[in-house]
Amino acid sequence: MSASNPTRSVTAHVPLELADRIDEAAIRLERSKNWIVRQALADWLDLEEERDRLTREALADVDAGRVIDHQAISDWADSLGSDSPLPAPRR
């Protein structure tokens, strides 16, 4: 991190097994434990933000009535193991 990108320390208690895995990754990757934790946390937050965005998008689809009937999905899923599977339902 550079002076133009200030940092702040965050403390977390983690299980010993997780701490050991961080130590092992730091050695294997020849990186500091701080780098490992910072990278992991940034990646997790990116995933969590994307999951939240997709959930909000899906809820907006439901609110707008852009859904597929449950029975149509169930019939399609049941047909997947058959000799004549149904086409995937579309909205």
Side-chain angles (χ1 to χ4, degrees), residues 34-80:
N34 281 337
W35 186 91
I36 300 292
V37 171
R38 190 171 47 244
Q39 189 70 34
L41 186 56
D43 289 349
W44 180 82
L45 286 170
D46 288 346
L47 284 171
E48 199 56 37
E49 289 166 357
E50 178 67 2
R51 190 179 351 250
D52 180 64
R53 184 192 68 76
L54 291 170
T55 298
R56 291 177 189 278
E57 186 179 291
L59 290 172
D61 282 343
V62 170
D63 289 345
R66 294 184 298 262
V67 296
I68 299 173
D69 179 70
H70 174 79
Q71 190 59 51
I73 294 291
S74 185
D75 292 345
W76 169 73
D78 290 343
S79 78
L80 292 178

Side-chain angles (χ1 to χ4, degrees), residues 23-38:
D23 292 341
E24 291 166 8
I27 291 166
R28 184 178 67 255
L29 297 172
E30 298 180 354
R31 296 287 191 157
S32 70
K33 289 186 276 186
N34 281 337
W35 186 91
I36 300 292
V37 171
R38 190 171 47 244

